[in-house]
Every structure is written in structure tokens, then in C-alpha cells.
Amino acid sequence: MVTSDPLKMRLTERQLQLPLAPDGTSLLAFLANNITNALANDQLPVRLAVTHSNDNGYDCEVGVYEGRAGLRSLLRSSIFDFRRREAETTSSFNTVLVIPTGIGAQIGGHAGDAAPVAKLLGASCDSLITHPNVVNASDMNELPSNGMYVEGSLLSRMLMGNVGLQNVRSNRVLVVLDNHEKRFVDAAINTVNAARATYGLDSAEIVVLEPPLRTLGETMASGRASGTVENLEALWEILDEREGEFDAIALASVVNVEVPHIDYFRSGGEIVNPWGGVEAMLTHTVSSLYDVPTAHAPMMESAEIANIDPGVVDPRMAAEVVSLTFLQCVLKGLHTAPRIVTDKGDFSKDDIFTVENVSCLVIPDGCIGLPTLAALNQGIPVIAVRENRNLMRNDLTRLPWEPGQLYIVENYWEAAGLLTSLREGISPGSTRRPLSGVKAVSYTHLRAHETEADLVCRLLLE
């Protein structure tokens, strides 16, 4: 097994092709075992996407943290650790909405353009748990009033049964910026101060990172957005030195991408957002290491790019072209993001939200990652939305769902109606026509001490 340079800490993405899981084998356990065995000793998985599956097996893309030397602690648990929930708590109906970052989703693939979906589904449940990609829109964040803003890896860990969420009144937000051109650093500082002045953000501190992170957005073979992050050592030092002084982390760094900005904005939304994938890898890692809410905003690369006039763009991209920092949505979300509870002894407390409280998961059709696999194993109903087309190529009906656990709908309007049916305890099929009747089947009880052979002989004689 090849071992990477132990002095160099970085995030990267690995492509793995795995055989089909044997019948009767837990897909989650199968992927966990095979992915762990495929990685080097100093590599830890931080993110998983099954991009394509068929009779030959699974194409997986795995975000990997590598190089342990100098790290204050390893990831406190594997992303594959799983605790089966004891039972569903039915005192409220709570929905998890996931739209994975970097998969080219038609809805939620750009700048907060899934926020209307979040509000729609939020109206159909008591609480909506979602992640930054759904509602972050540069200078706007339209999280519904009953929403919980949960970073993607923490959301996955919650569904896997390993963390709880506790609502807070506010967080002390530590802001870490790349050392970059003065114009953009000043704009980020002004953004933080604007949040303090307008909605009372408690910013623990603003730290300018030197050397800055080296972040590169790249495209995987599947078309997914991903990338690499280097120069992580200074970030770990900052977070280690200030541990206990903050409740949430807002990151802003330059993400260099392969796609010319003008081409992206003039594509009409056909080019996958090139920033989100590598941002998700970074926040997954930071959240997993420090057990605090984390979100990232890309800093503008240069004045030349900032001065580009893209004209009128696709509405899904509009929030991006009217912002200079893209940071306000992050601050707004982290301001009241739930506290992360890792002590399982606290999970039974009334104010701790755990996987036992999850009533349903809503995803784009074709997506298999940790949230889908966790829901499958936890017995959580899943609604897959066809209209939210994306790059993932998986037939969800091939997974071993329990009867009535998987629902495939055309759009989010249908998803909202289905959520309402499930919340009210109405069998969804009873609202459609034709409504087929229930068939009666014959059953003959064995007489006392009668064996099956005796029963066969008696029935033949009769």
C-alpha cells in the first residue's frame, strides 16, 4: 500500500471502482470496508458519492484527507460509523432535505436556488433540517423559520446516529480569511461588521490566514465538482489555539477554478458550479475535526474577475453576480446553526434532536451517498424527486428498501403533498384513483397436533 508524504496535509478526491455487493450484504458496510481497505494508512475518507451503479458494481468518488503528521487529532469517528436508531419519535414530523453539492442539480446546483423548495417543504413539516448548499445565496440566506442549518458532514453523522443537534439562540462565529488583495479582505471585514450591526452577529474574531489556503476546484470523471486543498497547517494552528473561544467557523478563501468565469455565467446554468465541491470537502473536514458548524464562501480571485460584466444571467446564478464577497449567507446561517452534541448520553434529552426524530429524507433522484445509505439502514422513508436532474446515475429502486420506504415523485410539489400525507398518517395511495380494493386470502389453521402431512392428506380426502 502506498503511503503519501506524512509531512504534507491536504484534501483530495479518489476515484474507486468497487464490485457489486453480495446479496444480503449491507451496502453501507460493504462500501465502508472496501473504501477503507483501498485507502493508504494516512488517508481518511471525509465525503462519499456513488456516482454510478449497475450490475457490474459501483463507481465511487471519495473525498480524502491525507497526511496526519502535526494534526491535533484524527477524525473523531469514521464517516462510516453507524448507530441504528432504537425507534422513531413521532411527537413531531421532521424532514431532512439534501441536495448534494457539486452534482449539477437543476434545482440547488447554483446559488441558493433551492431555497424556495426548502420553504415549501418546511411548510409541510414541524422542522426542516438542511445544509448550506440548499439556502446559501451569496448575500442572501432564505432558511425557513423552522429550518436547521447543518453542515453536510454533520447532517450525515446525525442520520448515521452519531451526533445530536441542539438549537441555540446565537453562536460566537470565528471568521478565517485568506490573506488576499486588500480590496477583498476589506470587503469581507465589512460584511462581518454589517452582520454585527444589522442582525447582531457575535463574531468571536476575524483572523487573516497566512499563508493562505491553496484551494483548487477540479472536475471529476463523472462531471462532479471537486478539487484539492493544501496549506492546511496554519488553519489547524488557528483553530487549535482558539478552541473553546468559538461556536461556529466561517471560512473565506480563494478557490481557483478551471472554468473561465464569463463562460460559466453565460452557460445558462449548464456548467456545474465549479466552487461548491471543494468547498464541501473543506467544511466536511473542519466540522468533523472540531465538531462545530462550519461553512465556506469563495473569495473573488482578482480585481479583473470582479470587474467582469456578465450581463443578465440565468436566474439561478443571479445571486452570485450581485455579490462581492459571497460571505453574508454563511454568517447568517452560522448565526443560529445548531450546536453539535457528541455525548450519546445526552441524546435522550428533550431538547436534543437526533436520528430518532427524523421522519423523512428528501433527495434528488439517483443520489447515493451517506444520507441515502443511512436512511436505508435506519428505516427512514425517502422521497426521490425526478425533476431535480443531476449527474448521479443510480437506480434507487435496486436498493433493498422496506415496503413503502422509497417514494419516487416527479417534482417538489408532489414531495410536499407526500410529506403532508405521511405527517397525517394517510396512506399516500388512498388519495389517488383508481383505488384498488384489498384482496382477501384464504387461510386454514392447522388442527391441534396436526402435521403438514396430515393436513395435505385431509385436504386431498375432502
Side-chain angles (χ1 to χ4, degrees):
M1 182 175 291
V2 178
T3 302
S4 60
D5 181 358
L7 299 177
K8 185 176 183 181
M9 289 184 267
R10 69 170 186 162
L11 292 167
T12 187
E13 189 103 359
R14 286 283 307 276
Q15 292 178 274
L16 299 174
Q17 291 185 315
L18 302 179
L20 202 64
D23 290 342
T25 301
S26 162
L27 180 55
L28 176 61
F30 176 82
L31 293 175
N33 183 62
N34 281 270
I35 290 171
T36 301
N37 289 339
L39 299 181
N41 291 330
D42 61 350
Q43 294 180 324
L44 294 169
V46 296
R47 194 166 183 245
L48 166 67
V50 180
T51 60
H52 179 248
S53 57
N54 55 28
D55 289 338
N56 297 320
Y58 313 96
D59 292 338
C60 301
E61 293 175 356
V62 184
V64 174
Y65 173 82
E66 61 183 28
R68 302 182 184 184
L71 185 62
R72 69 174 184 83
S73 70
L74 301 180
L75 295 177
R76 298 177 184 182
S77 62
S78 166
I79 64 170
F80 298 114
D81 286 353
F82 178 78
R83 176 187 68 85
R84 187 177 301 279
R85 66 178 183 174
E86 297 178 3
E88 179 189 351
T89 301
T90 57
S91 56
S92 59
F93 189 91
N94 308 300
T95 300
V96 176
L97 170 62
V98 171
I99 302 176
T101 310
I103 65 169
Q106 290 293 303
I107 304 170
H110 293 284
D113 60 295
V117 166
K119 287 195 167 186
L120 173 66
L121 300 189
S124 303
C125 58
D126 293 298
S127 295
L128 183 84
I129 304 87
T130 194
H131 55 114
N133 183 64
V134 172
V135 294
N136 276 2
S138 301
D139 292 335
M140 297 170 277
N141 183 321
E142 288 298 311
L143 183 73
S145 59
N146 63 339
M148 300 172 76
Y149 183 89
V150 182
E151 189 277 330
S153 69
L154 298 173
L155 187 151
S156 294
R157 289 168 65 192
M158 185 273 293
L159 288 171
M160 296 282 276
N162 296 315
V163 301
L165 309 172
Q166 184 180 42
N167 280 319
V168 300
R169 293 185 177 89
S170 67
N171 289 312
R172 299 167 297 165
V173 181
L174 174 65
V175 181
V176 182
L177 311 173
D178 263 357
N179 186 9
H180 190 32
E181 294 181 28
K182 183 176 184 299
R183 173 186 178 185
F184 303 118
V185 173
D186 288 350
I189 294 171
N190 285 333
T191 301
V192 175
N193 282 328
R196 295 176 61 234
T198 57
Y199 56 86
L201 178 76
D202 182 356
S203 176
E205 190 177 10
I206 301 174
V207 181
V208 179
L209 186 63
E210 180 62 44
L213 295 173
R214 183 178 181 275
T215 307
L216 176 64
E218 300 169 307
T219 303
M220 301 297 290
S222 66
R224 279 179 65 250
S226 185
T228 59
V229 185
E230 296 179 339
N231 293 349
L232 289 160
E233 293 82 356
L235 177 59
W236 300 152
E237 290 176 6
I238 288 170
L239 299 180
D240 283 347
E241 290 172 1
R242 291 161 176 78
E243 191 167 18
E245 300 175 7
F246 57 85
D247 306 307
I249 303 167
L251 301 172
S253 64
V254 176
V255 179
N256 294 292
V257 297
E258 303 164 326
V259 179
H261 285 60
I262 195 65
D263 291 350
Y264 170 69
F265 286 118
R266 290 179 177 173
S267 72
E270 294 307 309
I271 295 178
V272 174
N273 184 309
W275 296 276
V278 72
E279 291 182 281
M281 289 172 61
L282 177 58
T283 59
H284 275 46
T285 306
V286 176
S287 293
S288 297
L289 284 169
Y290 292 88
D291 286 330
V292 296
T294 307
H296 181 276
M299 297 181 83
M300 196 74 74
E301 291 97 312
S302 67
E304 290 77 14
I305 290 175
N307 293 332
I308 289 175
D309 179 10
V312 176
V313 301
D314 185 288
R316 295 171 295 173
M317 299 174 165
E320 294 179 85
V321 300
V322 299
S323 178
L324 182 62
T325 67
F326 318 111
L327 182 59
Q328 191 58 252
C329 61
V330 166
L331 301 175
K332 184 72 172 178
L334 292 176
H335 178 51
T336 56
R339 182 173 75 89
I340 309 308
V341 178
T342 58
D343 186 346
K344 293 182 175 61
D346 292 333
F347 285 8
S348 60
K349 294 181 178 179
D350 291 341
D351 63 340
I352 306 300
F353 186 99
T354 67
V355 67
E356 278 79 9
N357 300 102
V358 176
S359 309
C360 190
L361 169 67
V362 181
I363 59 173
D365 192 19
C367 289
I368 298 180
L370 289 177
T372 304
L373 296 172
L376 173 66
N377 283 22
Q378 299 284 19
I380 296 170
V382 173
I383 299 174
V385 179
R386 284 198 182 104
E387 189 173 78
N388 201 357
R389 299 182 304 279
N390 59 84
L391 295 169
M392 303 297 93
R393 297 292 176 261
N394 300 292
D395 181 357
L396 296 181
T397 64
R398 294 169 63 98
L399 298 179
W401 306 98
E402 295 293 328
Q405 189 182 359
L406 175 66
Y407 300 90
I408 298 179
V409 300
E410 289 301 321
N411 51 56
Y412 286 106
W413 296 346
E414 286 189 34
L418 185 51
L419 286 176
T420 302
S421 293
L422 295 175
R423 184 186 67 188
E424 297 302 314
I426 299 170
S427 173
S430 66
T431 63
R432 303 292 304 276
R433 294 296 181 272
L435 179 62
S436 59
V438 177
K439 295 180 181 180
V441 295
S442 298
Y443 175 76
T444 302
H445 178 61
L446 292 176
R447 296 175 181 174
H449 308 299
E450 186 176 46
T451 66
E452 280 192 44
D454 294 334
L455 173 62
V456 171
C457 291
R458 178 170 57 79
L459 292 176
L460 290 173
L461 292 173
E462 291 176 356

